[in-house]
Amino acid sequence: MPPRSRHLFGRRSWPEARRIAEILRAETVGGALLLGAAVLALLWANSPWSEAYRALGEVTVGPHALHLDLTLAQWAADGLLAIFFFVAGLELKREFVAGDLRDPRRAVMPIAAAAGGMAVPAIIYTVINATADGGALAGWAVPTATDIAFALAVLAVVGSHLPAALRTFLLTLAVVDDLLAIVIIAVFYTSSLQLLPLAAALIPLAVFGVLVQRRVRSWWLLLPLAVAVWALVHASGIHATVAGVLLGFLVPVVRRADGPGPGLAEHFEHRWRPISAGVAVPVFAFFAAGVSVAGAGGLGATMSDPVTIGIIAGLVAGKAVGVLAATWLVQRFTRSSLGDQLGWWDVLGLSLLAGIGFTVSLLIGELAFGAGSEKDEHARIGILAGSFASAVLATVVLRMRNRHYRRLHEIEERDADADGVPDVYQGEARS
């Protein structure tokens, strides 16, 4: 029997661990703002002033001649979320070029977990809606997404001492999840395709690519090109957030050998992640999460709709089963151990956290059913209920292990020689 020579939840290098910690802090703050925006929207939408909330989302701004006379809610979904996906594209490319995903042995687990965590919820939703009266198969992809900002906000409250390897796994899984989600949006939720604007978008996209490959950072050159790509992709019928991912993929990760400072992708990530986490996603959540229970036909009718049931079951059960099963299969066939002092309860806690689907799930719900439709209202309630249930269950599981996590966290943070680098990383470097 071959020895188990590696850990699925292995520790990264110190520079990479420090970078991941910075990302997690930014996403945690963004998650708190996201949660606050969602709660505010829910309270307002179910208050006596709900008409004012709906009227605000329907305010139209933008040039009609360019077909960009969109409502504020549409600007949030199509415009601000493009920033979110631009940052996701930067992070994903960095993972493939300089992170764990460049090593097939390390990449297989988060990729498999993300795929399993998307496939099983989609299957559960499809089965429920295909066999029940009033089902709507168009929403099969709604429960497949994981909201990393929301999940990390929950994690900051209930599992602040979670080992770095588990946090990194959750972040990497969510990054791969974002890529799969944008592929689903582009392939399955493009109703009509206009080839001329799509072909025209290649021109500013190519110019943007040439400039960033030459390490140009001037915003007054790059930003107009990015806006032009976004507008043309929007006009083509493909959801405009795809433009954000394409632009992110073009930015080089590795800096020039003779160049000072971080690579361009890291530079852009530092600039745009706070805007994405602190502005773009919370504003989208504010306009997307404000569902009126009375306007959706009442709680009883909503909770008996196969759309709602399928989304809740997909997020709560599907995500947990999919991520857990995929991780078990990888461990089984690679004959690897989970990691030092880590067990399957830890994986279950992360799998339940992956069931917190919010930002991208709300976006897919709008694309599948049409913003403001009754099915979309039911989908939003299902997303909120399923995410809340997943958060509660994850809290229960992770809190049971919090004392153990605290001990592991103390080991990871110990710096006996006070040189700023924890001892566990120095030991690995010497070995």
Side-chain angles (χ1 to χ4, degrees):
M1 180 182 298
R4 298 184 176 186
S5 58
R6 68 185 184 92
H7 299 318
L8 291 181
F9 295 98
R11 189 179 292 114
R12 293 189 177 192
S13 66
W14 169 239
E16 185 68 5
R18 185 170 51 189
R19 188 187 72 86
I20 292 294
E22 293 174 357
I23 292 175
L24 294 177
R25 279 193 292 271
E27 293 290 355
T28 300
V29 173
L33 294 174
L34 168 64
L35 180 59
V39 170
L40 176 60
L42 279 171
L43 292 175
W44 193 354
N46 289 278
S47 74
W49 305 279
S50 58
E51 286 298 327
Y53 171 79
R54 282 192 288 272
L56 178 63
E58 292 171 0
V59 172
T60 300
V61 295
H64 175 73
L66 299 177
H67 304 287
L68 291 177
D69 47 339
L70 309 177
T71 65
L72 292 180
Q74 289 173 324
W75 275 111
D78 293 358
L80 290 179
L81 279 193
I83 299 174
F84 167 80
F85 280 107
F86 173 70
V87 174
L90 292 173
E91 177 61 26
L92 187 66
K93 183 174 181 181
R94 194 192 186 288
E95 285 293 329
F96 277 111
V97 173
D100 275 0
L101 296 184
R102 67 175 176 173
D103 183 353
R105 294 173 301 175
R106 283 181 173 265
V108 63
M109 187 182 65
I111 291 176
M118 298 188 85
V120 176
I123 292 171
I124 289 176
Y125 177 94
T126 300
V127 169
I128 291 174
N129 280 264
T131 57
D133 294 335
L137 295 177
W140 63 271
V142 174
T144 61
T146 296
D147 193 302
I148 186 59
F150 210 155
L152 289 174
V154 173
L155 195 61
V157 175
V158 303
S160 57
H161 297 95
L162 198 71
L166 295 180
R167 291 173 179 265
T168 300
F169 168 72
L170 182 62
L171 177 63
T172 308
L173 182 151
V175 169
V176 178
D177 190 293
D178 286 339
L179 174 64
L180 297 177
I182 202 67
V183 171
I184 288 173
I185 290 171
V187 174
F188 295 100
Y189 294 102
T190 297
S191 56
S192 60
L193 183 63
Q194 303 294 325
L195 294 179
L196 184 58
L198 186 60
L202 297 177
I203 299 174
L205 186 66
V207 176
F208 181 92
V210 170
L211 291 176
V212 293
Q213 290 299 322
R214 293 177 177 271
R215 275 56 176 184
V216 174
R217 301 187 180 193
S218 303
W219 68 268
W220 53 271
L221 276 176
L222 298 178
L223 189 58
L225 291 169
V227 171
V229 173
W230 173 86
L232 290 168
V233 170
H234 180 274
S236 73
I238 298 176
H239 199 270
T241 51
V242 175
V245 176
L246 295 176
L247 291 165
F249 280 171
L250 290 178
V251 179
V253 171
V254 181
R255 66 181 179 90
R256 288 179 175 174
D258 57 346
L264 196 57
E266 187 176 349
H267 170 76
F268 284 163
E269 193 176 333
H270 282 309
R271 290 288 184 90
W272 288 98
R273 187 177 292 278
I275 298 174
S276 171
V279 178
V281 174
V283 170
F284 168 76
F286 173 77
F287 285 109
V291 55
S292 170
V293 175
L299 192 59
T302 300
M303 298 309 291
S304 62
D305 188 341
V307 169
T308 309
I309 296 171
I311 291 173
I312 294 175
L315 288 173
V316 178
K319 275 289 187 180
V321 171
V323 174
L324 192 63
T327 305
W328 182 84
L329 288 172
V330 171
Q331 187 268 342
R332 178 74 175 81
F333 286 104
T334 62
R335 308 194 67 80
S336 301
S337 63
L338 290 179
D340 293 333
Q341 304 182 63
L342 297 177
W344 288 106
W345 276 106
D346 308 311
V347 183
L348 175 61
L350 290 185
S351 301
L352 289 167
L353 270 179
I356 300 176
F358 196 79
T359 305
V360 180
S361 291
L362 290 171
L363 174 61
I364 294 176
E366 289 186 1
L367 296 175
F369 302 118
S373 66
E374 184 179 63
K375 291 294 186 184
D376 179 43
E377 299 283 311
H378 292 180
R380 285 193 273 177
I381 291 177
I383 293 166
L384 294 172
S387 298
F388 178 76
S390 294
V392 170
L393 292 172
T395 298
V396 172
V397 173
L398 293 174
R399 291 296 292 180
M400 292 170 58
R401 299 273 289 167
N402 197 50
R403 185 176 298 177
H404 177 66
Y405 295 150
R406 190 183 296 273
R407 289 197 300 268
L408 295 180
H409 181 74
E410 289 174 354
I411 295 173
E412 288 184 345
E413 294 294 314
R414 187 175 299 144
D415 184 14
D417 55 4
D419 65 347
V421 179
D423 299 338
V424 291
Y425 296 100
Q426 292 177 330
E428 288 180 356
R430 287 193 295 268
S431 62

